[in-house]
Amino acid sequence: MRIALLHSRIRIEERLLIDALTSRNIDHDVIDLREQTFDIHEPGRWTDYDAAIDRCISQTHALAATRVIERFGVPTINPASVIEACGDKLTTSLLLARDGVPTPRVRVALDEAAALAAIEHIGYPCVLKPTTGSWGRLLARINDRDAAEAIIEHKSTLGSVAHSVFYVQEYVDKPQRDLRVFVVGTQAICGISRQSDHWITNTARGGRAGALTITRDIADISARAARSVAGESGGLLAIDLLECPRRGLLVSEINHTMEFRNSIEPTGVDIPGRMIDWVIERARAGAEAAAGVSA
Amino acid sequence: MSNAANTVTTSHQVECPECGASVRFARAPLAGEVTRCTGCRAELEVTSLSPLRVELAPEVQEDWGE
């Protein structure tokens, strides 16, 4: 078996994944996508791989590369469809809504006046998010109409074209924390709570990680969310949950290139090891399926 | 200090191109590995292994993340 680990920078997470491959005696290549060119007519060495793990930090680049590599017949983890589903918050919300997975209410608008109308419809406070991006960047809690008008104008004037899609989400009055659940396949293997005095609780923004007990409700909603974006087999996903005082657990976001460096110690779970074990399992299943087809 | 890349001073150790502090890797670094200078907090990326060389890591882009 041979595995490709695709990256655009080696962070602690990628190091730990490489260590997990090495400790399992899995042949692997660490491939910097920035250095690659793909001949879309000629797979070349890519067919040597039984699977490719995407760890590219740019969602745009990850999506392009996995599309090409999948076209060559190499399974990618996560697949391009999952990157597409998770990398765009609107797509994530649409899939969750389609499948009846509890999630905050969302309205979308494509024009400044319509954005204001969407915000007023959701009510104050509400949250305006870019549809792409991560780490809690450029989130805005809007408390009143004055703030709404100002932020809409700023996004229209200063933002890239991506900011012309106004994604308005209800504000969930959560108890100073949100929950992050690590899912392998469709199984919630562990989770953390992210505590913060600020309404943005991402650890990238100073949220403090604490241990989380995976209850049946957490496991259930996480599995449903994983199936919604990744199908029956699921994927390697970090699912962010909000505890709504009225409606219970809500799926806020789903991350397809999960960061876990701060979560191994509080959970006591070998997250990279569990990820790699699943990749090996998927690669073997893919190889057996291919052998069955050719036999 | 300039943004120019700096080269190795000792094994697994290199000079920060931003502030000149010594940046030490606990184990053999990999190409593309990122680290943070303890002197100035600049994010650095390994751009060459032999000789060991680091440069300022690229700025965060809009579509970067998890």
Side-chain angles (χ1 to χ4, degrees):
Chain A
M1 177 178 297
R2 193 166 194 85
I3 303 287
L5 187 139
L6 315 175
H7 74 92
S8 52
R9 54 168 46 187
I10 303 283
R11 299 165 291 174
I12 293 170
E13 281 83 359
E14 284 70 43
R15 266 283 195 182
L16 292 170
L17 290 167
I18 293 165
D19 288 346
L21 285 164
T22 303
S23 69
R24 286 159 176 75
N25 294 316
I26 299 294
D27 284 340
H28 60 274
D29 291 322
V30 178
I31 299 173
D32 189 338
L33 285 178
R34 296 171 298 181
E35 299 171 351
Q36 305 303 308
T37 61
F38 297 96
D39 179 347
I40 64 166
H41 308 285
E42 178 49 60
R45 65 170 180 146
W46 288 102
T47 52
D48 295 344
Y49 297 109
D50 297 288
I53 307 169
D54 163 50
R55 293 294 306 177
C56 185
I57 202 165
S58 157
Q59 292 175 7
T60 310
H61 293 175
L63 191 54
T66 51
R67 277 177 174 155
V68 174
I69 295 165
E70 281 176 15
R71 180 68 185 82
F72 293 157
V74 179
T76 60
I77 298 166
N78 287 302
S81 61
V82 177
I83 297 170
E84 204 163 18
C86 300
D88 180 276
K89 293 183 180 66
L90 174 56
T91 307
T92 308
S93 297
L94 288 168
L95 292 170
L96 295 172
R98 178 197 67 185
D99 296 336
V101 181
T103 189
R105 284 186 304 137
V106 168
R107 290 184 86 88
V108 176
L110 308 176
D111 170 88
E112 293 178 46
L116 189 58
I119 288 168
E120 297 256 301
H121 193 278
I122 291 271
Y124 301 105
C126 63
V127 180
L128 198 54
K129 295 182 173 183
T131 54
T132 57
S134 194
W135 302 327
R137 286 174 295 146
L138 298 175
L139 307 188
R141 183 168 77 174
I142 301 178
N143 294 330
D144 55 35
R145 187 180 175 103
D146 288 345
E149 289 174 345
I151 290 170
I152 289 169
E153 185 182 8
H154 279 84
K155 284 173 77 73
S156 299
T157 307
L158 302 173
S160 68
V161 69
H163 289 274
S164 65
V165 176
F166 297 91
Y167 174 100
V168 187
Q169 190 181 68
E170 73 170 302
Y171 177 75
V172 176
D173 193 15
K174 58 187 185 294
Q176 300 288 307
R177 68 173 195 171
D178 72 355
L179 313 179
R180 162 155 294 197
V181 183
F182 295 93
V183 171
V184 171
T186 57
Q187 183 191 1
I189 62 165
C190 61
I192 57 169
S193 67
R194 300 186 296 187
Q195 198 90 24
S196 177
D197 296 332
H198 195 278
W199 70 277
I200 298 175
T201 48
N202 299 56
T203 51
R205 296 281 295 266
R208 300 176 301 281
L212 173 71
T213 301
I214 301 295
T215 63
R216 181 174 293 185
D217 285 348
I218 290 173
D220 179 60
I221 195 172
S222 301
R224 290 176 65 194
R227 287 194 184 93
S228 198
V229 296
E232 283 305 307
S233 59
L236 298 178
L237 302 164
I239 298 179
D240 294 343
L241 303 176
L242 304 176
E243 299 160 288
C244 177
R246 290 178 293 107
R247 286 186 286 154
L249 294 170
L250 304 176
V251 177
S252 172
E253 295 180 10
I254 306 177
N255 302 283
H256 64 272
T257 316
M258 58 201 198
E259 294 168 4
F260 49 81
R261 72 180 69 177
N262 298 319
S263 303
I264 298 169
E265 191 271 327
T267 63
V269 173
D270 176 14
I271 298 171
R274 297 289 296 272
M275 292 169 68
I276 292 300
D277 286 340
W278 194 76
V279 168
I280 294 168
E281 191 182 303
R282 299 291 298 169
R284 286 202 176 117
E288 285 169 10
V293 167
S294 61
Chain B
M1 293 290 164
S2 73
N3 287 357
N6 282 18
T7 53
V8 66
T9 53
T10 66
S11 180
H12 304 168
Q13 189 172 317
V14 71
E15 185 180 286
C16 172
E18 184 76 351
C19 73
S22 177
V23 177
R24 183 188 295 274
F25 291 85
R27 54 196 285 203
L30 300 172
E33 186 163 343
V34 289
T35 189
R36 201 170 280 283
C37 173
T38 53
C40 66
R41 306 295 298 156
E43 194 174 39
L44 307 172
E45 177 178 335
V46 175
T47 55
S48 165
L49 294 176
S50 184
L52 182 60
R53 185 186 295 268
V54 296
E55 295 179 29
L56 288 175
E59 295 284 328
V60 173
Q61 300 293 307
E62 197 172 339
D63 70 333
W64 282 19
E66 294 185 78

